[in-house]
Amino acid sequence: MSAANATATAPVPTPAQDDPVWQAKVHLAAALRLAVLHDFDEGIDNHFTVAVPGREDQYLISPFGVHWSEARASTMMVFNEAGETLEGTGLVELSAQSIHAPVHRLTGAKVVLHTHQPWALALNMLKANRLLPATQTAAFFAGTIAYDDHYTGLAADLSEGERLSQLMSGGKTVLFMKNHGVMTIGDTVAQTYRRLYKLEKACRTQVLAMGTGQPLNVLTESVIQRIKTPSPQDRHPRSERERLFFEAMMRVIDRVNPGYAD
């Protein structure tokens, strides 16, 4: 094939595919649908938000009232910390505004995911709710979790998000919310959703093990550090693992519940 013909037949990306805002909407919609698949959702409640690329004081969210399994990139709305809808249709839910906007602003997180997913919440119902590094998966969370041990009720103003943000100082990327749920923050949807997914697995195994009534075998600090330190021979750095994970999960959604990228 000549160079001219090759150029003529090569696919030309649409502007939407090259647009970081559109990509953020697609990834957000995919994450919401994945949350249903993974039993993280409560129908229309809880919240996933993404800072609009290039507009860090504005945030993408699915309109309240849309079931998470119905999330679509084209229906994502944009809101600000004042609770104003800047793009799209709908009103931002009050607790989403109160928690997410300050967390984005004060932690610098691009992505904030909050759920009441069952195994993490089961652990958070206990007085002793700490995630213990007793598995390889749990060990990766050592030193990354902040704990809010004082549930105060439904979030109704920005001060609640500001309070939670203070707890996540020092580079914490996970928040355990006693009697409430969990929150993960990160730089990309892929990174932050993988964090949420792995967290649920770690909480589930701990709760199951605790159910035996036998003592847990917690890993030593030296082993934890070896787990968390990347090997120089590792051919898949963390960012690559996050990307591959989320792309694989999107392929699953493409098979079982397509349409999120519409």
Side-chain angles (χ1 to χ4, degrees):
M1 181 183 291
S2 69
N5 288 336
T7 301
T9 59
V12 178
T14 65
Q17 290 173 326
D18 282 344
D19 180 5
V21 176
W22 178 255
Q23 184 182 62
K25 291 178 179 181
V26 170
H27 284 189
L28 177 55
L32 288 162
R33 292 199 186 200
L34 281 169
V36 177
L37 181 67
H38 296 143
D39 194 28
F40 295 173
D41 74 302
E42 288 197 330
I44 65 171
D45 293 309
N46 305 165
H47 324 101
F48 285 6
T49 55
V50 177
V52 180
R55 292 177 274 160
E56 303 306 310
D57 57 346
Q58 298 177 16
Y59 313 105
L60 292 166
I61 194 170
S62 184
F64 187 64
V66 175
H67 193 276
W68 284 21
S69 66
E70 303 170 324
R72 293 179 183 274
S74 58
T75 62
M76 292 297 161
M77 55 178 279
V78 177
F79 74 99
N80 62 14
E81 192 163 319
E84 300 167 323
T85 300
L86 306 178
E87 296 177 18
T89 302
L91 298 174
V92 63
E93 198 267 340
L94 179 59
S95 60
Q97 172 196 358
S98 301
I99 294 175
H100 285 242
V103 169
H104 278 288
R105 170 170 53 86
L106 295 172
T107 68
K110 308 297 184 188
V111 182
V112 178
L113 308 182
H114 167 56
T115 73
H116 300 170
Q117 55 200 56
W119 292 99
L121 182 53
L123 186 56
N124 270 309
M125 293 167 62
L126 305 177
K127 286 187 178 295
N129 70 329
R130 271 39 179 178
L131 180 65
L132 302 176
T135 66
Q136 176 177 286
T137 301
F140 280 103
F141 289 99
T144 71
I145 302 175
Y147 291 89
D148 175 21
D149 291 329
H150 304 287
Y151 177 62
T152 58
L154 296 174
D157 57 61
L158 298 176
S159 64
E160 177 64 1
E162 292 167 348
R163 182 182 75 84
L164 297 175
S165 297
Q166 291 176 351
L167 295 173
M168 300 188 78
S169 62
K172 298 293 193 294
T173 56
V174 177
L175 178 66
F176 271 36
M177 307 160 84
K178 183 74 74 72
N179 305 113
H180 183 183
V182 291
M183 181 164 60
T184 60
I185 64 174
D187 297 323
T188 66
V189 174
Q191 178 191 74
T192 315
Y193 191 84
R194 183 175 185 263
R195 201 166 271 160
L196 196 68
Y197 179 87
K198 295 282 190 176
L199 180 68
E200 183 75 342
K201 293 291 187 180
C203 291
R204 180 177 183 176
T205 51
Q206 179 169 319
V207 171
L208 288 171
M210 291 169 65
T212 68
Q214 299 298 310
L216 300 184
N217 186 49
V218 177
L219 300 174
T220 65
E221 184 61 30
S222 62
V223 170
I224 293 169
Q225 291 308 312
R226 284 202 297 273
I227 290 171
K228 296 185 69 173
T229 302
S231 167
Q233 282 77 45
D234 191 349
R235 290 176 290 275
H236 298 93
R238 185 66 53 81
S239 61
E240 180 76 356
R241 291 175 182 271
E242 293 161 355
R243 180 185 65 79
L244 290 171
F245 166 86
F246 199 67
E247 288 178 355
M249 288 298 183
M250 287 195 291
R251 291 194 297 272
V252 173
I253 288 294
D254 284 334
R255 293 195 299 271
V256 302
N257 186 15
Y260 64 87
D262 295 347

